[in-house]
Amino acid sequence: MNKPSIPSPWPEAAQKLAHSAQSVAFTQNQQLALQVVSDILPILLSGQSGIQLTAEQLGPLCIKLGNCNATDKKERFNFLARGIEWGNRHLGWDVPLSPLFYGVKRQRNLLQPKLFQCRHLAEDLAAAFLNELQHVPCSRSEAIGHIFFSAILFGGLINPRWHQPFISALNQNDIFQEGSWLWVEMTSLAKKHTATRQGRWVADPLTHLLIYRFLDLALPTGTENPKKKSPWQLLEAICKKLPLPVEKKPRSLSELLRWAMAREVLRSSSSMLSYAKGDLESFSLPIGPWLRILTGKAIPIRLPQSQHDAGVKIQHKTLLPFENTTTAAQIKLLKKAQRLLSIDRDGKEITVAMGRKRLKTFFDEYHQQLAPTMQLLTAWGCQMLSPKISRLERRTAHPIKVSSLLRYWSEIGHKLVRAFGVENPLLLDPQDLEWVYEAIAQELGSDPYAVHRLAQFHGFLEAFYQAPEMEWAEIVEGQIASCSGVDANLVSPATYDALLNSLGWSKPEPSRWQTLHLLATILSYRCGLRPVEVRALRIIDIQGVSEWEVLVRNSSFKTTKTSAGIRRLPLSLLLNQQEMSFLLHYLDQRKQETALFGEELFLANPARKKGMLSDGELFGVIREHLRLITQDESVRSYHLRHSFLTWSHVGYFLYPDSPAKDVAALQHQEFDDLRLRALHEQLLQQPDTGRSQAYLLALLAGHSSPTTTFKSYIHFLDWLNGYERRQVSYSYPFSAKTIMAISGLSQPRVYAVLQQSLSQKTHPLLPILLNRASIYATRLRHPLMGKARVPCKIQWREKSSPIKCWAEIVGHGNEHLPENLKKSLDALTRPDWELAVQVYESIRQLDGRRIKSAKKIIQLALNCRSARWSDSCYGSLTDLAELVELILECGIPKRRILLVHHARRGQEQSDRRKYLVKWATAAKLPVSQLTSGEESNLKSTDKKGSVTIKILNDNYDEGEAKKKRGKKGSSGFYFALRLLHQQFSMN
């Protein structure tokens, strides 16, 4: 198939994939792809416009096209996707993009014959245990044994990691309840290579009632202390009492857990079964966010203090002040420190003690020149050579060798210094810090040891400088499981609505910044995009005609960490109609602005000529509002992505059942039956087969395995585990005597409850549980609920001004500007543009009296612009002083103001010097910022001469300032003054 016979869009797709400016020949795989298209959907080769196809029509084409090895498949599908994309944009097609296929790691299948072989033993054991419950326990140890046995057989507590923490929590009465939900707060203590971990187990109906009985009996400890018994000793004591033959009793804890799994395997969903067993790990919410999700109340939470190992006393350190420096100077100092620790003259490695001594000497000598990052690297080096250790540092050597420290510095030291420059890493927002680490990890590539050093360095900052915990599972996906820390938190649907309202959602015409904050929030919460993915999104990444999609892919602004990160998300399905209309309205506006500012980026503000908006600019206000609404200082904008994945999983899991009525977060239209049905039908075409939910979430998140998704982002599995066991599928033929023994109800009442559950098709113990829950509500309420309050309502506050903001003037294609201003605006470079925004917005927001005086100053500055020197030329000390004062009010530092003195012709040098000092004094600037320029030859020139004022851009070298005196100042400054003057005249 020859290229000339193929119409658009296929030649353009081949050219784009080849990164060529000229037409190219089709590759072998592209020719094969075109042959398949010709056989199955020849209309795509017709070159027609307005073609409309559905995903179902593309299905046979994708199947035929994917019948090859992985490399060829990737090339063929990439070619097909590029061609369809070009057709959608230029030929008016409405064709969904072909899927991007990539491998997803599959988990081990739990439906194995060995589990079914012991199923009858498990059922006999459960029946015998239920009969044993008719006997009231006579000791605390026996009562805890009953609860523990029940939690394993009926409550899904199968993961051995949580057995000892569960028993300890029962002994310490770490049992809490909110509404009808009772849970046990567990702490898995740190071991050699793992940190302390918090967990939560939500009770099933039977264990729930057994805990009530345990609390009512208030049994003394007696001679047998259950704290000293191992988990199996407690269970073995219960097994001995069961009237079963020896061969029908478990001989070990592992055998009991295998029998419990046999009971679960046909009842539980695959993801919940993997979670109960411990194969699918998930981090529970901290107690504050957990209570907020259950109750809908705001629980005040302050930033957590750094956690350290028990018995290790750590004194927090502070950084010392430093002189002005540069990144290059810091690199030189790091190399000097490395030379100090290199091999001695005799060829031997220096000792640890000598290395520590040399580092301290180096720090004492150069501490005034060391920027924060170099101070931290030096302190980290001293700590690594110290015998004292904190588990947060993730090291086992006490201490490490000097050669090892040099290797660590070589791997990450230079990259850290270049990434942070002279900024203080400890003052960065956690999201900004995480982004820097992610960029460094991406630069380190596939070297897991170097990435581990990065995690060690941050562990040192956590231990000694109270740095925030990082989500290493997300930063370095799949590389270092031992460094994975998860910052678990969620934003409820009601909080999301409150956040949108606080950002100006209800306003008929939100401002440009409000629009950007709203879109960033919507894309993060509804689509689960990472903050950097939101910032790097381009206009061409949002495609569609009737059904819209967003493409997450590599660009000049950002590259994905793995191939799994390249994905497409169905906007029309994930966003509601109002959100979709809002996004498309902005998209139409943005397409008209690309030639003026923002390059091809989707989210752009006229305040920035080129480049992505920073994380602080786009997400800073979002974080601030989230924290004010929830009263939780630990919540971050990244948690919007956590919320998307968690609530998506909850919605898929609950469908078609109605959400629990006593969980505040679930009482929202987001869990509406019609919406969930649409998602199920279109995203989960076969929701009852395999682990489709788990793999769908991994695809939407851009992960190569559901393990990463569940571990880092799904934080509600503990509640779902308890919810699932309340369903009728988990009901068991409980005898009336057993129910009477554990609930204290009379026989007629028990029979009435059983009859009610049978008619309503509910779990037989659920009505009893719901009836008794109110009795224990106050007794088991968590202490933090005493601080609960109604969530705050936040209103967006903007300074009012009669002058239009920069975004309103520039953001709509500047069609209202005079032609001379339009030309000047188009000619602005990026530094000039940003200076113009700063000056314009600062003066625009001045209060009434000050803005009146600013009008006069601006008018004078424009009137006295010199045709000879291009900048404003002043002969009055007072007039110059007023302009300099206004410039400083705009936040422009003094170092960017350059005054050029034009002395009267023929004047003595001593007089020139005297008047130069006089001008500097009037402007309140150092004399070094005044230079001598050309002489003024006007007869009217006063003895003191005249001065031109230049505002320099921020990217100039102070040492080169004198060379710039012959050049005019920033055109952005004078453009801002001209635009202000034009706006003043209109008002």
Side-chain angles (χ1 to χ4, degrees):
M1 184 175 290
N2 296 323
K3 180 180 178 296
S5 64
I6 304 298
S8 296
W10 308 108
E12 290 80 4
Q15 183 178 331
K16 189 167 185 178
L17 288 172
H19 303 287
S20 173
Q22 301 175 349
S23 58
V24 297
F26 293 122
T27 66
Q28 183 179 357
N29 270 311
Q30 290 170 358
Q31 292 180 17
L32 290 172
L34 290 172
Q35 186 62 53
V36 174
V37 173
S38 176
D39 295 341
I40 298 177
L41 287 173
I43 191 174
L44 293 178
L45 298 180
S46 65
Q48 297 177 16
S49 60
I51 297 175
Q52 293 186 351
L53 294 175
T54 63
E56 289 75 15
Q57 291 173 298
L58 279 180
L61 173 62
C62 293
I63 293 172
K64 183 75 177 289
L65 204 61
N67 189 18
C68 58
N69 61 53
T71 304
D72 292 343
K73 183 189 298 185
K74 182 176 180 181
E75 184 180 353
R76 294 180 189 182
F77 273 96
N78 206 8
F79 174 63
L80 182 63
R82 294 290 186 180
I84 294 175
E85 178 185 349
W86 199 95
N88 287 341
R89 291 179 57 200
H90 300 283
L91 298 178
W93 289 5
D94 185 7
V95 181
L97 290 178
S98 58
L100 296 171
F101 283 92
Y102 58 88
V104 177
K105 300 175 184 176
R106 293 196 170 275
Q107 307 300 314
R108 187 164 59 91
N109 192 345
L110 296 172
L111 289 171
Q112 298 174 357
K114 64 180 182 180
L115 285 178
F116 292 92
Q117 292 170 0
C118 58
R119 184 174 172 79
H120 68 287
L121 295 173
E123 295 297 345
D124 292 343
L125 181 68
F129 173 68
L130 289 176
N131 289 330
E132 168 62 22
L133 292 180
Q134 296 174 17
H135 303 97
V136 178
C138 55
S139 70
R140 186 178 179 87
S141 179
E142 185 180 1
I144 290 178
H146 280 169
I147 294 171
F148 187 30
F149 208 100
S150 173
I152 291 175
L153 279 182
F154 297 92
L157 190 66
I158 303 174
N159 188 352
R161 173 177 186 167
W162 296 107
H163 287 171
Q164 190 59 55
F166 180 80
I167 296 168
S168 301
L170 291 177
N171 278 304
Q172 297 167 11
N173 284 336
D174 287 336
I175 305 165
F176 305 99
Q177 178 182 310
E178 194 58 48
S180 66
W181 301 97
L182 182 143
W183 70 90
V184 178
E185 284 289 329
M186 303 177 291
T187 302
S188 176
L189 297 178
K191 296 181 181 179
K192 187 174 182 179
H193 296 293
T194 59
T196 299
R197 170 109 174 256
Q198 299 298 128
R200 183 176 298 109
W201 177 82
V202 179
D204 63 280
L206 175 61
T207 315
H208 193 142
L209 293 175
L210 288 177
I211 290 175
Y212 281 167
R213 183 169 77 170
F214 169 70
L215 295 172
D216 290 340
L217 291 174
L219 294 167
T221 303
T223 56
E224 294 184 352
N225 188 352
K227 294 182 181 180
K228 297 181 180 179
K229 291 192 173 184
S230 68
W232 175 241
Q233 286 176 327
L234 289 172
L235 297 171
E236 189 178 28
I238 303 298
C239 288
K240 288 179 180 178
K241 294 186 177 182
L242 302 181
L244 290 172
V246 176
E247 61 273 12
K248 288 193 174 185
K249 294 182 180 180
R251 290 165 293 181
S252 64
L253 177 59
S254 59
E255 189 171 32
L256 175 61
L257 297 180
R258 190 166 65 251
W259 291 10
M261 278 289 293
R263 293 190 74 250
E264 295 277 339
V265 74
L266 292 181
R267 289 189 176 96
S268 183
S269 61
S270 56
S271 59
M272 295 308 302
L273 192 61
S274 298
Y275 168 71
K277 192 174 184 295
D279 292 342
L280 199 60
E281 197 173 3
S282 174
F283 277 72
S284 296
L285 289 170
I287 187 62
W290 164 260
L291 292 173
R292 183 176 71 240
I293 294 301
L294 287 183
T295 65
K297 300 289 184 68
I299 312 292
I301 299 172
R302 300 292 169 258
L303 285 175
Q305 298 295 316
S306 182
Q307 297 178 359
H308 311 294
D309 306 277
V312 179
K313 186 177 181 181
I314 294 178
Q315 183 177 1
H316 294 301
K317 303 176 181 179
T318 57
L319 296 180
L320 298 177
F322 63 99
E323 299 173 349
N324 288 337
T325 184
T326 62
T327 303
Q330 298 303 302
I331 293 291
K332 289 180 181 178
L333 287 169
L334 178 58
K335 290 179 179 179
K336 185 174 290 188
Q338 288 177 301
R339 287 195 296 271
L340 280 175
L341 299 181
S342 298
I343 297 174
D344 254 335
R345 293 177 182 177
D346 56 2
K348 294 182 180 179
E349 181 179 344
I350 63 174
T351 64
V352 171
M354 180 58 70
R356 195 163 58 246
K357 182 179 179 181
R358 289 186 181 183
L359 268 184
K360 289 180 178 178
T361 304
F362 169 80
F363 186 82
D364 292 340
E365 184 177 351
Y366 294 102
H367 71 270
Q368 291 184 343
Q369 302 174 35
L370 296 178
T373 305
M374 265 305 298
Q375 291 189 40
L376 293 171
L377 281 172
T378 308
W380 182 46
C382 291
Q383 173 61 17
M384 296 296 274
L385 298 177
S386 167
K388 294 182 180 179
I389 185 172
S390 165
R391 192 168 281 105
L392 290 171
E393 296 176 77
R394 301 178 176 93
R395 67 180 172 108
T396 55
H398 305 265
I400 66 170
K401 295 180 179 179
V402 174
S403 58
S404 298
L405 176 61
L406 285 172
R407 190 174 70 251
Y408 293 1
W409 275 358
S410 299
E411 288 169 347
I412 67 168
H414 293 268
K415 292 179 174 60
L416 284 168
V417 172
R418 289 192 181 96
F420 291 114
V422 297
E423 290 188 36
N424 186 349
L426 303 175
L427 298 181
L428 291 179
D429 185 89
Q431 183 56 59
D432 293 329
L433 186 59
E434 191 169 296
W435 165 238
V436 173
Y437 284 148
E438 185 176 326
I440 295 175
Q442 203 165 355
E443 189 179 348
L444 291 170
S446 58
D447 184 355
Y449 296 102
V451 174
H452 189 85
R453 305 298 167 239
L454 194 63
Q456 281 185 300
F457 173 73
H458 186 76
F460 163 74
L461 300 188
E462 284 184 62
F464 294 93
Y465 294 89
Q466 297 181 289
E469 187 178 359
M470 290 286 105
E471 294 189 38
W472 290 101
E474 176 62 28
I475 295 172
V476 285
E477 181 187 339
Q479 287 190 32
I480 46 170
S482 62
C483 295
S484 297
V486 175
D487 180 14
N489 210 326
L490 290 177
V491 175
S492 70
T495 301
Y496 168 71
D497 290 342
L499 176 61
L500 289 185
N501 288 328
S502 74
L503 294 172
W505 181 250
S506 56
K507 292 181 65 174
E509 292 186 8
S511 68
R512 184 56 175 249
W513 275 119
Q514 286 177 316
T515 301
L516 295 176
H517 295 321
L518 287 167
L519 287 170
T521 303
I522 291 169
L523 290 170
S524 300
Y525 182 84
R526 292 294 190 198
C527 302
L529 297 186
R530 300 175 176 92
V532 68
E533 290 172 343
V534 174
R535 291 163 49 214
L537 204 62
R538 298 171 299 167
I539 295 173
I540 60 172
D541 293 332
I542 297 175
Q543 299 187 0
V545 178
S546 57
E547 300 294 326
W548 289 84
E549 298 177 328
V550 59
L551 308 180
V552 182
R553 50 187 174 176
N554 295 329
S555 70
S556 59
F557 300 101
K558 180 194 178 295
T559 56
T560 58
K561 289 180 292 185
T562 63
S563 59
I566 302 173
R567 62 198 188 278
R568 60 191 180 99
L569 300 165
L571 279 177
S572 299
L573 274 178
L574 299 175
L575 274 61
N576 62 39
Q577 187 174 356
Q578 191 178 2
E579 292 166 341
M580 195 71 231
S581 300
F582 183 74
L583 184 143
L584 293 179
H585 175 73
Y586 172 79
L587 178 63
D588 291 338
Q589 175 189 331
R590 186 71 193 96
K591 287 178 179 177
Q592 302 171 14
E593 304 169 345
T594 50
L596 186 60
F597 66 89
E599 300 175 279
E600 54 185 325
L601 289 164
F602 176 61
L603 297 182
N605 191 283
R608 177 163 296 196
K609 175 78 171 177
K610 292 183 179 180
M612 293 192 305
L613 297 172
S614 70
D615 185 86
E617 287 176 318
L618 193 57
F619 287 98
V621 172
I622 297 172
R623 283 192 289 269
E624 180 185 344
H625 284 215
L626 267 178
R627 290 166 183 172
L628 289 172
I629 293 168
T630 61
Q631 298 294 298
D632 182 357
E633 292 181 1
S634 66
V635 72
R636 300 189 286 147
S637 53
Y638 213 99
H639 293 132
L640 294 169
R641 173 171 161 86
H642 289 239
S643 305
F644 163 72
L645 292 165
T646 293
W647 298 133
S648 296
H649 179 257
V650 170
Y652 302 150
F653 187 91
L654 293 179
Y655 180 81
D657 298 332
S658 299
K661 294 182 179 180
D662 54 352
V663 178
L666 303 183
Q667 304 309 303
H668 192 272
Q669 60 186 6
E670 185 170 323
F671 300 98
D672 179 70
D673 183 63
L674 294 176
R675 181 177 181 275
L676 293 178
R677 182 186 301 173
L679 290 171
H680 262 253
E681 290 176 353
Q682 298 192 48
L683 293 180
L684 291 169
Q685 296 176 3
Q686 294 180 323
D688 297 327
T689 59
R691 295 180 175 86
S692 54
Q693 295 176 3
Y695 287 98
L696 171 66
L697 290 171
L699 289 168
L700 293 176
H703 293 149
S704 59
S705 168
T707 303
T708 303
T709 310
F710 275 74
K711 180 176 182 179
S712 301
Y713 292 99
I714 310 299
H715 306 305
F716 220 47
L717 288 182
D718 45 14
W719 181 85
L720 289 174
N721 181 71
Y723 170 83
E724 187 177 48
R725 280 156 180 77
R726 289 188 175 190
Q727 307 310 305
V728 68
S729 59
Y730 274 82
S731 60
Y732 196 86
F734 297 98
S735 67
K737 288 185 178 179
T738 300
I739 296 176
M740 290 166 57
I742 62 177
S743 66
L745 298 179
S746 64
Q747 189 175 27
R749 179 62 181 152
V750 168
Y751 281 119
V753 169
L754 290 175
Q755 187 64 34
Q756 177 187 352
S757 64
L758 188 62
S759 61
Q760 297 179 354
K761 296 182 179 180
T762 61
H763 193 289
L765 299 182
L766 192 57
I768 302 172
L769 182 154
L770 295 175
N771 183 53
R772 300 199 67 195
S774 59
I775 303 173
Y776 297 87
T778 304
R779 179 180 177 184
L780 297 179
R781 178 158 291 173
H782 196 280
L784 275 180
M785 287 304 298
K787 301 179 181 179
R789 60 189 69 170
V790 177
C792 300
K793 290 185 178 180
I794 310 300
Q795 296 295 328
W796 179 280
R797 294 180 181 178
E798 286 186 310
K799 288 185 178 180
S800 59
S801 172
I803 308 300
K804 287 183 179 180
C805 69
W806 178 276
E808 286 183 80
I809 297 171
V810 179
H812 295 277
N814 60 46
E815 64 271 9
H816 301 299
L817 286 180
E819 199 61 34
N820 62 336
L821 284 176
K822 280 186 182 180
K823 291 180 180 179
S824 299
L825 181 62
D826 292 339
L828 291 179
T829 63
R830 181 175 179 175
D832 291 328
W833 181 290
E834 292 174 0
L835 177 61
V837 174
Q838 182 179 354
V839 173
Y840 181 88
E841 285 295 320
S842 299
I843 295 177
R844 182 185 74 87
Q845 296 179 24
L846 294 174
D847 56 27
R849 288 186 177 181
R850 184 58 178 141
I851 205 166
K852 285 182 181 179
S853 61
K855 287 181 185 179
K856 296 177 181 178
I857 296 171
I858 292 170
Q859 180 71 58
L860 180 61
L862 294 175
N863 290 341
C864 67
R865 286 193 74 182
S866 169
R868 180 181 177 186
W869 294 309
S870 300
D871 301 295
S872 297
C873 185
Y874 284 88
S876 167
L877 296 171
T878 305
D879 292 342
L880 175 68
E882 288 179 346
L883 180 62
V884 170
E885 184 181 356
L886 183 63
I887 291 170
L888 295 176
E889 273 188 80
C890 295
I892 297 173
K894 289 183 177 181
R895 61 182 176 80
R896 292 176 62 183
I897 302 174
L898 181 65
L899 302 181
V900 181
H901 182 227
H902 305 284
R904 191 167 68 173
R905 179 168 290 181
Q907 200 171 41
E908 295 292 335
Q909 285 296 329
S910 58
D911 291 336
R912 293 187 181 198
R913 178 65 182 170
K914 179 179 69 174
Y915 289 120
L916 189 143
V917 173
K918 198 169 185 179
W919 281 106
T921 304
K924 297 180 181 178
L925 294 174
V927 178
S928 59
Q929 285 184 235
L930 271 79
T931 61
S932 297
E934 296 179 70
E935 294 178 337
S936 178
N937 56 4
L938 294 176
K939 294 181 179 179
S940 59
T941 303
D942 192 71
K943 290 181 179 180
K944 60 181 177 293
S946 60
V947 164
T948 52
I949 180 168
K950 301 174 184 289
I951 308 302
L952 304 175
N953 287 322
D954 202 20
N955 58 351
Y956 82 108
D957 186 345
E958 291 183 51
E960 299 291 322
K962 291 186 178 181
K963 295 181 182 179
K964 293 182 180 263
R965 65 177 180 270
K967 300 178 183 179
K968 65 178 182 179
S970 170
S971 58
F973 173 70
Y974 285 102
F975 177 81
L977 298 187
R978 289 167 61 199
L979 185 58
L980 283 164
H981 182 262
Q982 187 255 352
Q983 291 295 311
F984 287 146
S985 62
M986 292 175 61
N987 288 276

